[in-house]
Amino acid sequence: MIQIEKVNKWYGGYHALVDVTENVAKGEVVVVCGPSGSGKSTLIRTLNRLEPIQSGRIVIDGVDAHGARVKLNTFRSHIGFVFQQFNLFPHITVLENCTLAPTRLRGLKPAEARDEALTLLDRVGLASKARAYPGELSGGQQQRVAIARALAMRPPLMLFDEPTSALDPEMVGEVLLVMRDLARDGMTMVCVTHEMGFARDVADRVLFMDAGRVLERAVSSDFFARPEHPRLRQFLSDIRTPFPVAA
Amino acid sequence: MTPIFDLNLLLTGTYHDWLLSGLITSLSLTGISLALALHLAIIIALVRLSPVKLLQWSGFAFVEAIRNVPLLAHMLFWYFGAPELLPTALREWLYARNVEATSAIIALTLYTAAYMSEDVRSGIRSIPGQQFEAARALGFSFVASMRLVVLPQALRVTIPPLISQTLNLWKDTSIATVIGVAELMYQAAKVESASFRSFEAFAFASACYLGMSLLITGAAAWYQGRFPVRAA
Amino acid sequence: MIELIDTYWLYFLVGQYPHGPLGGLALTLILAVLGLLFAFPLGLVFGIARVSPWRSVRWPVSALIQIVRGTPLLMVVFWAYFFLPSLTGQNTDQFWTMLVALVVFDAAYLAEIIRAGIQALGKGQTESARSLGFSYLVAMRLVILPQVVRNMLPSLVNQFVSTIKETSLGYIIGLTEVSFIATQINTQVLTRPAEVYLLLGLTYFILCFGLSRFAFWLERHLQQRTMAKAHA
C-alpha cells in the first residue's frame, strides 16, 4: 500500500532522511521507533506531505504523494493523521469536530454524518462527550476524539505521530487500547511511538531509525528478542534500564 | 510638453530647496521630540511603578489623558489654546519666536512620551522582581536600584518597541502641518499649489518618509541581532 | 465653559445638519465605523495573504503593507485627495476621500493584527485541518479565522479607538468632523481658545477611554470564559 523509494530530505544543510526505502502492505501495522532527532516524525510527516522531500518517491495506494500533478486535498482526505498535540478544533464541539470533514469533503448529509460520528465516538468510549468542547476534555480524551475524527473520513490508512507522548502516564493506556482495537479490525497503520509494549504486542513489523536512516527492520518478535544492529541494542537497553545501577 | 514625472524639479531649483528645507525641519522635529520624550517616558514609567498609590494613579491618568486624544487635537490645543493661558509677557516672547514649532514639539513630545512610557514600563516589569529586591537588599535606594540594576537590563528589552515608537514619531511630525510648521508635508503641499506638479512633490515626500521608515526598521532589526536579550 | 457648551453643543455634535451636511461628533463616529467596517474584510484578505504558502501572493502583499505602514496617514490622505478624482473620473468629496484613505491605511494595520493572530494559533490547527483534506482557504475559513477573530476582539476594539483618532485628519482637507467644528467654534468665539480645545480633548477622551476600558474588560472576560470551559 505504501512504497517509499530512496527518499532524501534536507532541512537546510541537515540531512534529515537518508535514502529511506520501505514498503507497507495493506492491513499491516508498522511501528517506527528510535532516539529523538532520528527522523521518525519527519518520515511519517512526509507520507501525507506535511513535509516536502527533495528526492525519491512516496507512493500511497498508487498515488505519488509528492507529485506535481496530484490533487493534494483529495489525497490527504484518504489518510487519517493523528498528531502528538491532538490539534482538535477548540471553537466547535467534539461532535462537530468529527462531522466537519465528512459533511464538507465526503458530501454526507448532516444527519448521516452525525450518526456515523456518534458511532465512532462510542467506539472510542466518548459518546457521552459529544456536546462538550475540546477544552473541557482531558488529554487522553482529546486524543481519542482526534482518532475518531480521523476515522470519520473512512481512510484506508492511519498515521500516528507519537500519539501518546504528550499524555500523562495514566492516560496512555486508554489511547493505546483504541489503537489496538483499530489494528485488530484490520486497519493499515504506521505509528511513530516510544511505547515498546504496544510495538511488541500489536505491531506486525518494527522499524528502528537513527540519524535519518532505517537501521533495522524486523518482525516485532524478532525485533525485541534478537536485535542485530548495535545502535538498536544500545537503544533497547537504554529503554529497559533507564537508571543503570552502579556496578 | 511637460513630462509625466519631472525629475529635475526635485533635484534643482526653488522647489527642490523648499522640499529639502521641509525634510530638514521634519528631521529636527523628530530629533528634538525624541530626546525630550525618552527622558519624559522614563520618568513617567518610574512614577507609575513607584509604591506610592497617588503617584501611580496620576501617572496612569496622565498617560490615558494623552493617549486617548488624537495628536491633531493636541497640536490645536498647544497652538491655539495654551498661549492664551500664559502671562502676557511670556506670550509676547513666544509669539516673537517660533510658536508653531514650540507647540508642535510640546504636542509631539507629550504624545510620544505617553506611548513610550508604556513600553518602558513593560520592559522594567519584565525584569524579575528579584533583581530589584537583590539591589535593595544590598542597600541601594529605589532610584539607585533602578538606575544601576533594573534599567540597564530593561533597556535591552525595551529598545525594539522604542524604535517602533520612533518610527511613529517620524510619521507623526507630518501633523505639524496643521498649525503651520514648514515641515515636509507642508512644503510638499506648497510646491503642489505653486507648480501643480502634485505627483513629483508627493512622490518626494513619500520617498523621504518611506526611506526613513526603512532605515529605522532596519536599525531595529540590526539591534535585535547584535544585542539579543539574555535572560538568567 | 458652561455657556460655550450651552450655545454650541448641537453644532458640535452634528455640525450643520439638517441645514447642511452632517458634521461634528456624529460625522466622526460614522466615518470611524464605516472605515473599520470596510477595512476589516480587506485586512482579512491581506492578513491571510501574508501567511499563505505561496510566495507570489505573500511578497506583493507584504510589500504593500510595509509601504502603507511606513507612510504617515496624512500622506495617504493627500494621495487620495489629489489622485482619487483622476482615478474615478469625478470630483471626490472630502468624506469619500477620507474614507478611502482610512480603509487602505487601517487594512494594512489590521492585516498585521490578523497575521499575528494566525501565527499565535500555531501550525497545529492548520496542519490538522489540511490533513483532513481541507484546502488552504477552506481551512482558514472553518478553523483558523473563527479562532483568530475571537482572540483578536480586544485588539480590534483598540484599532477602532485608533480609527476614531485618525478621523481627526479630515480637518486638513476641510472635512467637517469634530476637530474642524471645534476650530469653527473657536473662530466665532475668539476669546476662549483654551476652553474650546479642552472640550474637544475631553470629548475624544471620554469616547476613546471608554472604548479602551471596554477592550480591557473584553480581554479579561474572554480569558475567564476560556478558563471556565477548561475546568468544566
Side-chain angles (χ1 to χ4, degrees), chain A residues 45 73 76 88 91 135-136, chain C residues 125 127 130-131 133 142 229:
Chain A
R45 284 163 63 93
N73 297 320
R76 281 183 176 151
L88 291 181
H91 62 300
E136 302 165 40
Chain C
Q125 290 290 301
E127 283 188 346
R130 301 283 333 252
S131 295
L142 293 177
K229 269 207 269 184

Side-chain angles (χ1 to χ4, degrees), chain A residues 134-155:
Chain A
E136 302 165 40
L137 268 48
S138 74
Q141 292 171 326
Q142 287 191 48
Q143 193 63 301
R144 287 188 275 149
V145 172
I147 296 175
R149 178 178 68 172
L151 289 173
M153 290 298 284
R154 303 267 192 98

Side-chain angles (χ1 to χ4, degrees), chain B residues 82-106:
Chain B
E84 182 223 4
L85 301 171
L86 293 173
T88 328
L90 197 53
R91 198 186 325 153
E92 303 289 310
W93 175 85
L94 194 59
Y95 275 115
R97 305 300 207 78
N98 198 345
V99 63
E100 292 89 2
T102 313
S103 312
I105 290 176
I106 295 176

Side-chain angles (χ1 to χ4, degrees), chain A residues 20-22 205-208 214-219 223 232:
Chain A
V20 178
T21 303
E22 292 303 323
R205 279 192 303 135
V206 186
L207 305 179
F208 175 72
V214 179
L215 295 181
E216 185 153 333
R217 58 186 71 70
V219 170
F223 186 89
L232 176 56

